[in-house]
């Protein structure tokens, strides 16, 4: 039943969105808006957490102490980004424990890019350049998203992503100045990651049924295809400066459009990975589950210690 | 309360939620930056340092249990903030001063 009060609440919400003001946690919001945000922010948080694995794979084998320190800092950032985003999701009335359970049960998703393996050390550089580069394209407009806590988390994240992208590009530049073998390693890595990076923006607009509503609510600011185009246009001169070839025979500048034309990603592959059949889906979730279970005793010990401290404080106060 | 924060723990046994406030530099107020879970106050400060100040973002941190915060309710938005609305004389623009009077 819709009452007059509901109508006025909804009108208030719509007016806030229309003024491009932010919705804050204690404001009334339509249930679908809340649900869409929980799904999107949780998926984003899970991506950061799962995203630690592909690069974490190389920490112990980084070629120098400098590279190891950089990689450690980067992977720690990903954990931090996950926490900023879980924190934003919790303002919508879900708990982090719930979200973790949903991830482990496969009921919430994370970005499909993290289901690809990191086969060589060059992949650390390519992920920084292309994967974090694509993430930046996606995330910069989200700093202005209509939900306040999400936008504020994105601002923090974007500041840090810039370090991620630059360290990756610098790593690749260093390898390109090395031996023929190292240059071949960079090219091979770029060949593997280019198309999955393009898929990070999601399906084509025509097949993205939620986009229109998300844009009307100001949650998303640009469509998938717009952001994909922006990413291609940004990446082409970066690839030239690096001296690598992007693996797309249809890629060329279109004077008339003022943009690069490019080929179609393999959307069947995309759907297969999203549905759980990518190269590393099972491994990623299995690893996450193991880490969560093996960390249980640490959480329990901290809880027990806190309870003991509290009891001692109370005893001391009684004695006084 | 036997609080256990294991695997599929229900919501009620989760570590309490803390809100985190950071003073960016001397001379500024503490500003809310986000939240986190911790077993106790001391751990909340440690976690806040790792999560919210990895790049010299602050010189001081406050944490407070989210449950201990009293907030104005959005339902009361009008009555609570309304008194400010009809006191326009509290703002400098209420007073007309000729343009040629300096330093006003």
């Amino acid at each position: 039943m819709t009452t007059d009060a509901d109508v006025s609440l909804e009108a208030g919400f719509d007016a806030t969105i229309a003024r491009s003001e932010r919705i804050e946690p204690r404001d009334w919001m339509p249930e679908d808006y809340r649900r869409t945000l929980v799904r999107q922010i949780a998926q984003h948080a899970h991506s950061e957490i799962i995203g630690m694995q592909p690069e974490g794979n190389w920490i112990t084998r980084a070629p120098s102490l400098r590279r190891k320190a950089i990689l450690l800092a980067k992977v720690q950032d990903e954990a931090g980004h996950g926490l900023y985003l879980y924190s934003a999701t919790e303002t919508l009335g879900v708990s982090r424990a719930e979200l973790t359970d949903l991830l482990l049960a496969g009921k919430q998703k994370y970005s499909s890019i993290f289901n690809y393996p990191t086969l060589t050390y060059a992949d650390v550089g390519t992920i920084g350049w292309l994967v974090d580069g694509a993430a930046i394209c996606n995330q910069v407009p989200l700093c202005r998203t209509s939900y306040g806590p999400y936008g504020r988390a994105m601002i923090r994240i974007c500041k840090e992503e810039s370090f991620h992208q630059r360290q990756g590009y610098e790593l690749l530049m260093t390898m390109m100045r090395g031996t023929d073998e190292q240059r071949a390693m960079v090219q091979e890595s770029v060949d593997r990651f280019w198309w999955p990076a393009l898929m990070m923006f999601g399906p084509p607009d025509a097949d993205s049924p939620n986009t229109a509503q998300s844009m009307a609510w100001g949650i998303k600011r640009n469509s998938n295809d717009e952001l994909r185009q922006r990413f291609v246009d940004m990446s082409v001169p970066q690839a030239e400066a690096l001296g690598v070839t992007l693996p797309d025979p249809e890629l060329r500048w279109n004077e008339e459009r003022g943009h690069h034309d490019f080929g179609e990603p393999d959307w069947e592959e995309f759907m297969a990975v999203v549905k759980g059949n990518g190269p590393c889906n099972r491994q990623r979730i299995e690893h996450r589950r193991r880490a969560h279970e093996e960390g249980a005793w640490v959480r329990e010990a901290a809880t027990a210690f806190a309870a003991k401290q509290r009891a001692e404080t109370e005893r001391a106060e009684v004695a006084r | 309360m036997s609080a256990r924060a294991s695997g599929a723990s229900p919501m009620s046994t989760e570590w309490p939620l803390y809100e985190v406030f950071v003073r960016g530099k001397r001379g500024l107020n503490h500003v809310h930056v986000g939240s986190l879970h911790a077993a106790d106050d001391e751990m909340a400060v440690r976690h806040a340092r790792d999560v919210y100040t990895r790049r010299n973002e602050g010189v001081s941190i406050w944490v407070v249990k989210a449950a201990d915060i009293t907030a104005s309710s959005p339902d009361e938005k009008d009555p609570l903030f309304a008194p400010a609305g009809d006191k326009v004389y509290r703002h400098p623009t209420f007073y007309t001063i000729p343009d040629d009077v300096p330093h006003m």
Side-chain angles (χ1 to χ4, degrees), chain A residues 40 91 143 146 186 193 196 203 223 225 277 309:
Chain A
Q40 181 171 332
T91 64
C143 295
S146 61
V186 172
F193 273 94
S223 77
D225 286 336
N277 298 314
Q309 295 292 99

Side-chain angles (χ1 to χ4, degrees), chain B residues 2-24:
Chain B
S2 65
R4 285 167 57 87
S6 62
S9 59
M11 202 171 161
S12 60
T13 61
E14 217 178 350
W15 285 347
L17 186 69
Y18 284 83
E19 298 296 335
V20 180
F21 301 79
V22 171
R23 184 197 295 285

Side-chain angles (χ1 to χ4, degrees), chain A residues 296-312, chain B residues 1-6 13 15-16 38-40 43:
Chain A
W297 73 268
V298 179
R299 296 190 293 276
E300 286 165 16
T303 305
F305 181 74
K308 193 177 120 191
Q309 295 292 99
R310 222 173 10 250
E312 277 176 15
Chain B
M1 193 184 83
S2 65
R4 285 167 57 87
S6 62
T13 61
W15 285 347
D40 58 24
M43 186 195 238

Side-chain angles (χ1 to χ4, degrees), chain A residues 154-167:
Chain A
M154 291 318 310
I155 289 171
R156 302 182 69 85
I157 290 174
C158 285
K159 277 187 195 159
E160 299 182 354
E161 288 290 350
S162 171
F163 143 60
H164 296 181
Q165 193 188 22
R166 290 173 68 102
Q167 67 82 32

Side-chain angles (χ1 to χ4, degrees), chain A residues 26-27 76-77 80-81 83-84 87 90 95-98 101 156 160 163 292 296 299-300 302-303 305-306 310, chain B residues 3-9 11 14-15 17 33-35 37 39-40 43 51-52 54-55 57 71-74:
Chain A
R26 291 161 64 85
D27 293 341
Q76 191 194 13
D77 274 353
H81 295 179
L83 293 176
Y84 303 156
S87 158
E90 285 189 292
S95 78
R96 198 171 90 200
E98 250 177 287
D101 291 345
R156 302 182 69 85
E160 299 182 354
F163 143 60
H292 188 64
R299 296 190 293 276
E300 286 165 16
T303 305
F305 181 74
R310 222 173 10 250
Chain B
R4 285 167 57 87
S6 62
S9 59
M11 202 171 161
E14 217 178 350
W15 285 347
L17 186 69
V33 292
S35 64
H37 290 274
D40 58 24
M43 186 195 238
V51 176
Y52 291 105
R54 283 192 303 285
R55 290 180 175 76
E57 287 96 336
S72 64
S73 152

